[in-house]
Amino acid sequence: MTNRKRVLAAVLFGIGSLAVSTASAYVYCGFHDRRYQMRAYHFNSVFWVDQLVAEAEKWNRVHPVLSIDRTLSRTIPVGKDGQSVMGWLSEADLNRAYGLSWVGSVGWTITTTDGRCGRFLESDMFFNPAVTLFTPQTTVPYSLGFQEIALHELGHAVTLDHEDGGLSVMTTNNAVSDVLHHNDKVGWIRSAAQKFNPLPTPRDDMGVFPIRNGAGSKIYSTLSPATVARGADVTIQNFSVENLSSVFPFENPTYRLVLEEVSSGAATDLGTFFWGRFEPFTGWSGNLTYTVPSSVAPSQYRVVAIFQGQDGDATNDRAVFGTIRVR
């Protein structure tokens, strides 16, 4: 995304098939041949470190490499010293130690490899002190916050570069959530495969995302119309479903569409959408239209898709496409 930078040193569906697109590969450079230790430096609250560890576990579920320790300290060792550190750095310190600036940036990961695209020796990861939003994403369009920045920067720490050819947390575009897409998992698995045998453990994982990849940009889901009469139609535009498993096809994946009353959370079914079979590392994007039940009380509602089944990663089993007013 434009303000996240990095330096790398050295509607119901009938039963049947839907057209899906295959994943593209990442550009990646370097490898890890052992557990990769990083240390977060904090001088007060450790809340952000807990968030950082949680984001690291999303990468570790694909292939476990990252390990994050924590140290209580008012200073951070900076520069190329063999220590992989994490923390918040002022503009003056960032410029002095690395010759970089926070202007137009919210996160930096400076990596050192053993030779060109060799083993990762050090990754120093810093966050802009101006970033204060720690709110989990629940509605679109998303606000760029610490979770998204951390997940993106950790992708660099596991060797990945930017990916704009499809949906990905590694995009240079601001339209991103704090979950991994199949392009993220493709890149990390292929990178890990350069040094690890056997490959990372396969997992079942279906995801739904309120965003789709467009020509040169990422497009958030929208709802049309914003105000809907009972018994009339509402269309969900521009969302994506992905099979994030590297190995397994998914048989009969089904998603439930509901209206959730904003104040009470009470749910009313709109319908379902499903496939007979979803191949590994494939995705579908499009629009769906549903009829708002005549029995729904006039109010403000979230439009939500929820995966119906069991898979290996619950973080992407639910997507909120936005809100409508039913009259």
Side-chain angles (χ1 to χ4, degrees):
M1 59 177 51
T2 53
N3 60 349
R4 289 192 303 191
K5 296 182 180 177
R6 175 227 191 180
V7 169
L8 175 60
V11 60
L12 303 173
F13 281 66
I15 296 176
S17 299
L18 295 179
V20 293
S21 58
T22 57
S24 60
Y26 271 112
V27 174
Y28 56 84
C29 180
F31 62 84
H32 295 288
D33 58 2
R34 65 195 71 183
R35 191 77 168 164
Y36 195 59
Q37 204 75 29
M38 305 184 77
R39 184 170 296 275
Y41 284 79
H42 64 96
F43 63 88
N44 192 358
S45 171
V46 296
F47 173 73
W48 70 270
V49 185
D50 294 337
Q51 294 286 333
L52 191 61
V53 170
E55 299 303 313
E57 284 307 304
K58 295 175 184 178
W59 290 110
N60 282 341
R61 279 194 289 269
V62 180
H63 183 68
V65 164
L66 293 171
S67 182
I68 299 175
D69 292 331
R70 56 190 74 196
T71 294
L72 179 64
S73 174
R74 288 190 172 272
T75 61
I76 304 173
V78 295
K80 187 176 177 180
D81 57 5
Q83 301 183 69
S84 294
V85 301
M86 302 165 148
W88 304 78
L89 211 59
S90 69
E91 171 73 12
D93 287 340
L94 182 66
N95 184 264
R96 173 182 56 81
Y98 301 99
L100 303 174
S101 173
W102 284 126
V103 176
S105 302
V106 290
W108 279 105
T109 298
I110 304 99
T111 64
T112 303
T113 61
D114 183 10
R116 186 176 183 275
C117 291
R119 180 165 65 91
F120 267 40
L121 300 176
E122 181 179 346
S123 297
D124 292 339
M125 182 181 301
F126 302 109
F127 303 103
N128 190 330
V131 175
T132 58
L133 183 61
F134 291 89
T135 304
Q137 305 292 17
T138 56
T139 59
V140 294
Y142 295 135
S143 299
L144 177 62
F146 176 70
Q147 292 97 326
E148 294 74 39
I149 300 165
L151 191 61
H152 177 99
E153 297 304 324
L154 285 162
H156 292 317
V158 298
T159 78
L160 300 185
D161 210 329
H162 291 140
E163 167 66 27
D164 287 313
L167 289 181
S168 172
V169 75
M170 299 308 296
T171 181
T172 56
N173 190 279
N174 284 340
V176 69
S177 59
D178 62 339
V179 296
L180 299 182
H181 295 80
H182 69 256
N183 282 307
D184 301 303
K185 298 189 178 188
V186 165
W188 182 210
I189 284 175
R190 289 182 178 173
S191 179
Q194 305 306 302
K195 295 299 292 186
F196 288 96
N197 190 19
L199 288 174
T201 303
R203 296 175 185 271
D204 287 321
D205 187 9
M206 290 296 298
V208 59
F209 307 97
I211 191 171
R212 72 177 297 180
N213 197 53
S217 66
K218 309 297 186 291
I219 306 167
Y220 282 117
S221 296
T222 55
L223 301 171
S224 180
T227 299
V228 187
R230 288 174 289 176
D233 290 344
V234 60
T235 298
I236 307 164
Q237 299 170 320
N238 297 311
F239 74 98
S240 299
V241 174
E242 297 181 340
N243 180 359
L244 298 109
S245 171
S246 60
V247 175
F248 300 126
F250 211 105
E251 303 292 339
N252 302 311
T254 300
Y255 289 83
R256 174 185 173 218
L257 262 293
V258 300
L259 295 177
E260 287 182 348
E261 208 276 332
V262 169
S263 59
S264 69
T268 300
D269 283 350
L270 283 176
T272 60
F273 59 96
F274 56 90
W275 287 259
R277 179 184 174 94
F278 225 123
E279 296 301 325
F281 276 154
T282 56
W284 175 91
S285 295
N287 306 334
L288 291 179
T289 298
Y290 290 88
T291 300
V292 174
S294 300
S295 58
V296 170
S299 188
Q300 193 83 10
Y301 291 89
R302 289 184 293 268
V303 180
V304 185
I306 306 167
F307 173 63
Q308 302 296 284
Q310 298 292 322
D311 64 6
D313 186 353
T315 64
N316 49 43
D317 286 352
R318 171 186 167 96
V320 179
F321 301 119
T323 60
I324 59 172
R325 176 160 294 281
V326 176
R327 56 178 172 82

